[in-house]
Amino acid sequence: IAQLDGGVRIDLTMPEVASINVADTVLAAGEMTTVTVVTSEAIKALSPEYFHVEHGTLGEFSTLDGVTWTAHYIPTKDTQIDKQFITLNQANLSDSAGNFGHGLATSNEYELDSVYPTVTLRTDVQGTINGPVRVIVNFSEEVLFNGEAISADDFGWLTIENATIDAMSLETPNDGRPMGEYSFIVTPIAHLDAPLKVRIADSVVTDVNGNPNKPSPVLVQAADTVRAHIESIEALSGAYRPGETVSIEVTFSEEVTFDESGTHLPSLFLNNGQIANYVSGVGSETLVFNYTFAQDDAVNNPLQVLAFLENDTHLVDLAGNAVNPTLNADNRLNNTILLDGVHPVVTSFTAVPGEYNSESVMWIKVHTSEWVSVDAIDGGPTLELSNGGQASYVSGTGSDTLLFRYDVD
């Protein structure tokens, strides 16, 4: 009721909402829009508490005339939903005459997409690689790079270490991949003994509504493109007689393997024209070869390994890299191994000439054609003399002169 020009004016009309308008009907993460409420007449107040709003927040309303009110609406992050409305309970509205509204007023329809695209990475193999591998990237939804579909022209959205990308190998949803899935081939760099790493940084692509991606986990793919090589060849130094076997150990820079079921296994070609045959060691760093000396093998002493022969096998490291079997001055056999097929013989006997009385000592030297070793555990060799006496071994092992003692009786 209001007094006007000495009269009385009665106002029984309830205030009503003419419209609730959400300016941006497709909202992405970080976006804000204006909500405008227009009423049928001026109202005393309009508070966010009068509204029912899901998945977002309304700010405080402002007005110049009490009829048109505006506020900001900010959607909740990580929300993707359509057919959203803002609802106002008009019972909270009152005009200057004290009339209250009635019923609910509803805004225009809008949708929210404030979900950040997520991404995962994987390869199409397990274990350690030594060559090209396909990487599969799965985004949670369709994405754009610099506002355009991902293409082979620019891989700026990707970070890769220790490998190169084959741009022409890119496959996208346009090539039949599922929505959000991309794949391409990467090749580890040469001489690599470290993992290759692939990652997608934060906010390098967006979905169609402009939401930036979350960073990917780092894809770590074990890689080894270093070829195993021979580091050393060793055997027990010494002289070997015909029929004896020398074990030769070939040590590689890493574990090596091959198919042991083959007919012609690896072997070593020796400088006397013979072959040392494989015995054991597959799957380890050291392969063992045996060579048994024959009587006619005593040529080109000392023994040397001229070449490592793979024969019918394909010798590889555990990553599948072909082994480098090249020999050089740094990895050849450095132990001295001699074959002696000639039996030592006694060349002469010497003693101090003269007459020896009873209880005298005669020292007799036995000269041999080469150095000999004497096993003296059971007393050693003896000399049977023409007078029926016996001379006992005293010393000389490891030389070509043995000393014997004879006690004259």
Side-chain angles (χ1 to χ4, degrees):
I1 300 174
Q3 192 171 16
L4 182 63
D5 297 332
V8 175
R9 179 175 177 270
I10 299 175
D11 181 0
L12 298 179
T13 302
M14 295 183 296
E16 294 181 346
V17 173
S19 65
I20 303 174
N21 182 70
V22 179
D24 189 347
T25 58
V26 180
L27 294 170
E31 286 190 326
M32 179 174 63
T33 190
T34 299
V35 176
T36 302
V37 179
V38 178
T39 59
S40 59
E41 58 180 303
I43 57 176
K44 293 179 180 180
L46 187 62
S47 170
E49 297 175 356
Y50 302 168
F51 294 82
H52 175 73
V53 181
E54 292 184 349
H55 311 297
T57 304
L58 268 178
E60 294 295 328
F61 280 86
S62 63
T63 184
L64 296 176
D65 57 10
V67 174
T68 302
W69 299 75
T70 59
H72 289 135
Y73 169 69
I74 301 175
T76 304
K77 292 181 179 179
D78 289 330
T79 302
Q80 186 163 7
I81 192 168
D82 57 7
K83 295 185 178 180
Q84 292 296 289
F85 302 91
I86 294 176
T87 303
L88 170 61
N89 184 357
Q90 298 182 98
N92 293 307
L93 305 181
S94 66
D95 59 17
S96 60
N99 298 300
F100 286 87
H102 176 73
L104 300 177
T106 304
S107 73
N108 57 323
E109 181 181 316
Y110 63 95
E111 64 182 74
L112 301 178
D113 181 5
S114 60
V115 176
Y116 297 101
T118 59
V119 59
T120 59
L121 304 170
R122 61 184 173 87
T123 63
D124 61 355
V125 298
Q126 294 182 342
T128 302
I129 63 168
N130 66 346
V133 62
R134 183 167 286 277
V135 176
I136 297 94
V137 179
N138 285 101
F139 288 101
S140 58
E141 57 184 300
E142 181 183 356
V143 294
L144 304 174
F145 177 56
N146 291 334
E148 298 180 356
I150 288 177
S151 71
D153 296 332
D154 192 349
F155 277 86
W157 51 278
L158 187 74
T159 302
I160 188 165
E161 298 177 26
N162 298 327
T164 57
I165 302 173
D166 178 4
M168 300 309 297
S169 69
L170 177 66
E171 296 179 358
T172 72
N174 291 333
D175 301 311
R177 290 270 174 180
M179 182 63 67
E181 183 173 289
Y182 303 82
S183 79
F184 48 86
I185 292 174
V186 299
T187 302
I189 61 177
H191 311 299
L192 175 67
D193 190 13
L196 61 87
K197 298 180 180 180
V198 183
R199 63 169 65 85
I200 297 174
D202 154 71
S203 304
V204 293
V205 298
T206 64
D207 64 15
V208 294
N209 290 320
N211 297 303
N213 69 287
K214 292 183 177 180
S216 74
V218 178
L219 170 64
V220 179
Q221 172 63 59
D224 178 4
T225 59
V226 178
R227 296 177 65 187
H229 61 274
I230 296 173
E231 287 196 333
S232 65
I233 301 178
E234 297 182 349
L236 183 63
S237 298
Y240 293 77
R241 64 177 181 271
E244 285 191 308
T245 297
V246 57
S247 288
I248 304 174
E249 295 185 351
V250 180
T251 300
F252 292 85
S253 56
E254 57 183 296
E255 296 174 349
V256 296
T257 187
F258 59 88
D259 183 4
E260 287 187 287
S261 65
T263 304
H264 301 289
L265 300 181
S267 60
L268 304 178
F269 181 62
L270 308 175
N271 62 335
N272 61 5
Q274 303 302 312
I275 294 293
N277 294 308
Y278 167 76
V279 176
S280 64
V282 64
S284 72
E285 296 178 358
T286 301
L287 302 185
V288 179
F289 298 80
N290 279 354
Y291 167 59
T292 301
F293 287 99
Q295 181 67 44
D296 297 332
D297 290 348
V299 294
N300 294 327
N301 274 332
L303 190 70
Q304 184 54 262
V305 177
L306 297 184
F308 183 100
L309 306 178
E310 293 187 74
N311 298 324
D312 289 345
T313 61
H314 181 49
L315 202 63
V316 297
D317 63 18
L318 299 188
N321 298 303
V323 169
N324 177 8
T326 304
L327 298 180
N328 53 53
D330 296 327
N331 62 5
R332 287 189 182 279
L333 176 64
N334 291 320
N335 307 93
T336 301
I337 300 173
L338 301 173
L339 173 61
D340 186 355
V342 179
H343 297 287
V345 296
V346 175
T347 58
S348 63
F349 299 88
T350 60
V352 178
E355 295 183 2
Y356 292 84
N357 298 321
S358 177
E359 298 183 358
S360 296
V361 175
M362 175 183 293
W363 300 99
I364 303 173
K365 293 181 180 180
V366 177
H367 302 278
T368 59
S369 59
E370 57 183 305
W371 288 11
V372 295
S373 296
V374 177
D375 182 2
I377 294 177
D378 296 324
T382 59
L383 299 179
E384 300 296 329
L385 305 179
S386 59
N387 64 353
Q390 189 178 72
S392 301
Y393 169 75
V394 177
S395 64
T397 184
S399 71
D400 59 0
T401 302
L402 305 182
L403 182 63
F404 291 78
R405 172 181 175 140
Y406 172 56
D407 292 302
V408 181
D409 32 1

